[in-house]
Amino acid sequence: MNNNQKLERGAEDIFGNWMQASMDFWNSMTGRHGGMFDPAGALAQAAQSSSDQAEKMWRSGNKMFQLWFSILGEPENLSSFAKGAEVLPGFMTQTVQQMWESFVEVHKQLLSRSTPLGQKAPASDFTQPDLNIFRTWKQIYQKEFQKFLNVPQLGLTRVYQERMQRFVDEANLFGTALAEFVRLFYVPIEKSLDIMQTKVEEMIEAGEFPEDPKELYLQWIKVLEGHYTTLLKSPQYTQVLNNMLQNLVKFRNARNELIYDALGNIPIPTNRDMDELYQEIYQLKKKVRELSRKLEAKSN
Amino acid sequence: MNPPKIAVDLILKKLAEDTEKVRIRAQKASEVLLSPLNTDIATTPHDVVYQEDRIKLKHYKPAEVRYSTPLLVVYALINRETMLDLQPERSVVRTFLEHGLEVYMMDWGYPSRKDRYLTIDDHVNGYMDNVVDFIRARHQLPQINLMGICMGGSFSVMYAALHPEKIRNLIATVTPTNFDTDAGLLHVWTRDMDADTLVDSYGNMPGDIMNLGFLLLNPARLMIDKYMGFFENIDSKPFVENFIRMEKWIFDSPAVPGETFRQFIKDCYHQNLLIQSKMELDGKRVDLKNITMPLLNIYAKFDHLVPPRACELLTQKVGSQDVEDVCLETGHIGIYVSSKIQQQFAPKILDWLKARDGSAKTQAAGKKASGRRKSASKAKPAARSGAPATAS
């Protein structure tokens, strides 16, 4: 017997002993509870039938419990249980490792994107590399994290669990799309401030600094307007805007599904219920209008 | 010793002066803001003479009626018709009344969730047709004059094409009919917009979302500079009152019924069906050649929501021989609220209608003067009035 086998054997013995002790404990507890369920006195007499039923259930449960643990306590099963238990830390390690790798990836992206920050970008260029960080993050999210939210759910509450997971997923995607939109929308402010800084430096060097600070504001707002005009016409802005809107709608729909589920348990109609009703009313009204027009035309 | 390059002493002096000015302004501002302000809008007296579902028909009667045919004004579903009567001294409605023109105005109201299934057909062939019939019956007239504003102009064009026998004269103001242009940002943005997912999710298109979109058209001016202007003039009571009136109007945004929004985006912005006479309302084709009544088409040179290119094709596509294009040197809202443009906009409409009014004499004069014409105003662009880039 090598060291590993010895260790395994030792672990099995400990587990087996613990199993035996716990079975003994529950046996004695069952015996005591059994005593408690024994009819004694008038009140107990009245409750005898339900008490018997409860005792029966208790004994049956205990029997299953014992049976299950005695099977588990067999050496070969204990060994496979121990092996199975080893899987859990492995799974955890893998998950943490994946998350860590993703974090490192985002960090690497940030570092590589931050290199050109000190460089000047032309006014018409809104494809600044640092904006790609949102897409990189989205890709990483979809590749590494989203799958956890797509794990199929089981049982009676499967639908509700899946809705909750979808909500979390859509919230994450909408958050990313919104952040990308806000970042892009901020670019003209950043650029215009950069330009103004250069201008002010030039003014100071040339000794032409305006006496009225409002002149600087007017120059800045003009530069800012120019940058926004360029940005708002760019295909990238349209794409980011539409992407944000699409994600907003998906997030909203996922959130509404959760709310509908919650409202289903209380006597409040949902938008979905009301929409069905409104559609029927709309169609009926239209039909009534059409018929009354026909009737009017006939009577004329 | 060389004099310093920058006159630091002057800059500091100016700063000290400004600080003092700000202090005085803040003191006055608190007096203005804490005093009672008159910020009511749409104060011209009127009666509500017709009501159907959420819509109301407002009637403005002049002291002396000098036109034989009343005018029905149809505003857009976006924002509200109160823009035509924002403040007493800059009210299109008041100018019309002062010249004896009887005005009816469509108030589309605030659509609720139950209105989400209403289509353009329900608005044009439903509500508008009922209102036109009501006015015709009330005045015992076979035809009335129709004036449309922005989206309400598009509805009016559709109505005139489907019911030409009920309209005597048609006036389209900042009315988009040609959507195939890159001149306006709205045209660019909506090209890729998925109206289906938005409408399916929201039901009706919320006014706040549309307003946010309009603010994003010119963020530097509408989100920053406009409010800087406000703080600079915060000590002036008339300025504050007018500014708040405008704010009230801008952010009073009803939602647009979902199916109407969907159809407008898909049929107009995506497929540009209206100007091609291919649009259909409940199976009825909107043929612009059916517009045979006189048509006055007014638009704004600096309109970035409905640029001239979106408006000017209309007169070429209709069947009428009596058409006129007027391009005013202002923006989308300036056309109705700029005090300078007020001297041209309403008087132009009044003169044009007078020339085509009911009596045989004036009708003949009108026809003689008619023909395809194109004119442009000589007015300069309106000064900053706090007017937003909001659609109407």
Side-chain angles (χ1 to χ4, degrees):
Chain A
M1 195 185 273
N2 61 26
N3 280 350
N4 278 350
Q5 281 170 325
K6 271 184 189 170
L7 276 171
E8 208 169 88
R9 194 64 247 168
E12 280 167 17
D13 287 346
I14 292 166
F15 192 71
N17 290 338
W18 174 79
M19 198 75 74
Q20 191 55 51
S22 97
M23 273 163 58
D24 292 345
F25 170 76
W26 286 113
N27 262 332
S28 68
M29 284 301 286
T30 312
R32 273 173 207 168
H33 275 278
M36 281 166 73
F37 289 124
D38 280 345
L43 278 171
Q45 191 73 38
Q48 186 166 6
S49 85
S50 59
S51 172
D52 285 351
Q53 189 69 19
E55 187 183 351
K56 202 176 168 188
M57 281 174 70
W58 173 263
R59 286 191 188 284
S60 162
N62 185 54
K63 207 172 174 184
M64 277 179 71
F65 182 75
Q66 285 179 22
L67 192 65
W68 166 248
F69 271 84
S70 60
I71 291 167
L72 203 65
E74 285 169 15
E76 59 273 22
N77 289 339
L78 261 182
S79 166
S80 61
F81 177 77
K83 275 179 193 161
E86 278 169 14
V87 175
L88 191 66
F91 169 77
M92 291 300 286
T93 314
Q94 199 189 344
T95 309
V96 171
Q97 196 179 342
Q98 275 184 357
M99 284 169 74
W100 178 250
E101 278 171 8
S102 303
F103 173 74
V104 170
E105 182 65 24
V106 172
H107 195 67
K108 264 163 65 184
Q109 290 277 349
L110 271 170
L111 280 177
S112 65
R113 303 310 179 202
S114 66
T115 316
L117 278 181
Q119 296 166 8
K120 281 186 182 174
S124 58
D125 179 19
F126 285 99
T127 53
Q128 275 194 329
D130 67 319
L131 292 170
N132 291 335
I133 193 69
F134 297 102
R135 272 163 223 171
T136 309
W137 162 246
K138 191 179 167 185
Q139 279 165 9
I140 290 168
Y141 170 76
Q142 285 175 326
K143 196 176 153 203
E144 305 294 349
F145 297 97
Q146 202 174 37
K147 58 189 171 194
F148 293 110
L149 294 169
N150 288 334
V151 172
Q153 300 300 303
L154 305 170
L156 184 67
T157 56
R158 184 189 66 80
V159 174
Y160 307 107
Q161 284 164 345
E162 281 188 352
R163 276 187 189 150
M164 177 54 86
Q165 285 177 329
R166 195 181 147 229
F167 168 73
V168 173
D169 186 27
E170 296 298 353
N172 288 334
L173 290 170
F174 171 57
T176 311
L178 183 65
E180 186 183 15
F181 176 76
V182 171
R183 177 70 188 99
L184 185 62
F185 202 73
Y186 180 69
V187 170
I189 295 178
E190 200 174 65
K191 280 172 177 284
S192 63
L193 288 174
D194 273 357
I195 288 171
M196 283 311 291
Q197 204 171 350
T198 315
K199 270 192 179 178
V200 168
E201 277 170 21
E202 286 168 4
M203 281 177 195
I204 291 170
E205 277 171 18
E208 292 165 353
F209 196 79
E211 288 165 24
D212 188 353
K214 201 188 165 188
E215 275 181 41
L216 289 178
Y217 165 75
L218 291 174
Q219 282 187 34
W220 172 68
I221 204 84
K222 209 172 165 187
V223 172
L224 182 64
E225 194 178 16
H227 280 299
Y228 268 123
T229 307
T230 314
L231 169 70
L232 300 180
K233 278 182 186 164
S234 69
Q236 195 196 0
Y237 178 79
T238 313
Q239 189 253 320
V240 170
L241 175 72
N242 278 321
N243 182 43
M244 191 267 288
L245 283 175
Q246 288 301 311
N247 280 289
L248 166 68
V249 166
K250 284 180 188 167
F251 163 68
R252 216 177 158 272
N253 291 346
R255 186 203 61 187
N256 285 352
E257 290 294 332
L258 280 185
I259 296 172
Y260 292 162
D261 285 343
L263 287 177
N265 294 315
I266 48 176
I268 294 176
T270 63
N271 272 347
R272 196 185 284 150
D273 304 327
M274 294 309 292
D275 283 347
E276 280 176 24
L277 192 66
Y278 291 148
Q279 196 165 20
E280 275 180 33
I281 292 172
Y282 169 75
Q283 280 161 353
L284 281 171
K285 271 177 104 172
K286 210 167 178 177
K287 206 160 198 173
V288 168
R289 231 175 255 162
E290 205 178 297
L291 289 172
S292 67
R293 273 186 190 172
K294 274 184 188 167
L295 212 69
E296 241 173 65
K298 227 176 189 179
S299 61
N300 287 338
Chain B
M1 189 180 167
N2 291 332
K5 272 186 174 179
I6 300 168
V8 180
D9 54 337
L10 285 176
I11 294 170
L12 290 175
K13 196 182 157 207
K14 177 80 182 142
L15 271 175
E17 282 170 10
D18 282 353
T19 313
E20 180 59 13
K21 273 186 200 166
V22 168
R23 193 187 62 79
I24 296 167
R25 194 186 297 155
Q27 200 175 358
K28 276 190 185 173
S30 66
E31 286 167 20
V32 170
L33 294 175
L34 296 174
S35 67
L37 292 169
N38 178 11
T39 59
D40 292 342
I41 57 174
T43 54
T44 306
H46 63 269
D47 299 314
V48 174
V49 291
Y50 178 88
Q51 202 162 345
E52 183 183 351
D53 300 337
R54 73 178 202 275
I55 69 128
K56 286 179 189 153
L57 183 65
K58 293 177 177 177
H59 178 221
Y60 297 87
K61 195 162 186 183
E64 187 196 343
V65 178
R66 280 178 243 150
Y67 288 75
S68 61
T69 313
L71 175 71
L72 169 64
V73 180
V74 178
Y75 199 77
L77 294 180
I78 302 159
N79 285 104
R80 300 204 65 217
E81 77 294 339
T82 47
M83 197 256 287
L84 291 181
D85 190 23
L86 214 54
Q87 59 194 79
E89 63 275 22
R90 281 192 282 179
S91 163
V92 174
V93 172
R94 284 199 185 213
T95 310
F96 284 162
L97 294 182
E98 280 161 15
H99 288 79
L101 179 63
E102 198 166 1
V103 179
Y104 286 91
M105 185 122 66
M106 192 79 119
D107 173 357
W108 291 113
Y110 295 87
S112 65
R113 185 100 188 169
K114 80 173 170 59
D115 297 308
R116 66 172 294 186
Y117 298 104
L118 292 172
T119 59
I120 296 180
D121 174 63
D122 294 310
H123 287 91
V124 173
N125 292 319
Y127 296 130
M128 271 180 79
D129 195 34
N130 292 345
V131 160
V132 169
D133 285 348
F134 170 81
I135 300 169
R136 285 164 66 226
R138 197 171 194 231
H139 290 263
Q140 294 182 323
L141 285 169
Q143 295 175 316
I144 63 164
N145 294 327
L146 180 62
M147 172 175 153
I149 293 167
C150 192
M151 188 193 200
S154 308
F155 284 8
S156 299
V157 167
M158 293 172 203
Y159 185 82
L162 291 167
H163 306 273
E165 74 285 357
K166 296 180 186 178
I167 302 302
R168 183 177 201 91
N169 299 297
L170 175 64
I171 302 160
T173 65
V174 291
T175 293
T177 45
N178 170 36
F179 296 83
D180 187 17
T181 170
D182 282 346
L185 279 175
L186 276 189
H187 294 261
V188 177
W189 291 355
T190 45
R191 194 160 298 145
D192 297 324
M193 183 188 278
D194 187 350
D196 288 332
T197 53
L198 280 170
V199 172
D200 291 344
S201 176
Y202 278 95
N204 292 331
M205 196 59 199
D208 286 340
I209 288 196
M210 283 185 297
N211 254 343
L212 179 65
F214 298 135
L215 288 178
L216 294 182
L217 288 169
N218 193 350
R221 296 285 170 201
L222 300 174
M223 292 164 125
I224 301 171
D225 195 42
K226 190 178 119 181
Y227 295 100
M228 285 298 286
F230 176 71
F231 287 112
E232 277 179 359
N233 295 284
I234 200 168
D235 51 343
S236 158
K237 193 173 179 179
F239 182 91
V240 169
E241 286 181 338
N242 287 339
F243 193 93
I244 291 173
R245 281 192 188 109
M246 183 59 92
E247 288 286 284
K248 274 187 175 179
W249 173 75
I250 299 166
F251 298 111
D252 181 11
S253 305
V256 176
E259 291 308 317
T260 299
F261 180 81
R262 192 199 303 266
Q263 194 183 359
F264 202 65
I265 295 293
K266 288 170 100 169
D267 286 4
C268 296
Y269 277 97
H270 289 176
Q271 299 183 69
N272 196 26
L273 297 180
L274 181 58
I275 200 71
Q276 302 174 66
S277 291
K278 287 179 182 170
M279 192 162 172
E280 286 189 6
L281 300 186
D282 200 26
K284 297 176 276 286
R285 192 166 71 90
V286 181
D287 187 353
L288 298 184
K289 288 287 174 213
N290 289 341
I291 299 180
T292 49
M293 72 289 300
L295 167 65
L296 175 63
N297 187 28
I298 304 179
Y299 46 90
K301 192 174 174 182
F302 305 109
D303 189 338
H304 55 279
L305 284 173
V306 185
R309 188 68 195 147
C311 310
E312 63 195 5
L313 283 186
L314 178 65
T315 46
Q316 297 167 33
K317 300 287 180 181
V318 296
S320 173
Q321 287 303 304
D322 182 4
V323 295
E324 186 175 348
D325 284 306
V326 177
C327 183
L328 297 172
E329 296 202 7
T330 183
H332 192 71
I333 303 302
I335 205 166
Y336 308 99
V337 299
S338 150
S339 43
K340 276 186 186 170
I341 297 298
Q342 282 309 293
Q343 292 159 22
Q344 300 168 60
F345 176 69
K348 172 69 199 174
I349 292 170
L350 287 162
D351 290 347
W352 187 83
L353 281 177
K354 195 77 188 167
R356 291 156 184 82
D357 198 31
S359 70
K361 200 176 168 185
T362 49
Q363 240 188 328
K367 276 191 179 160
K368 211 173 178 183
S370 70
R372 288 186 183 274
R373 282 186 292 177
K374 191 156 188 151
S375 60
S377 82
K378 285 175 187 166
K380 296 239 165 71
R384 193 177 73 190
S385 59
T390 310
S392 55

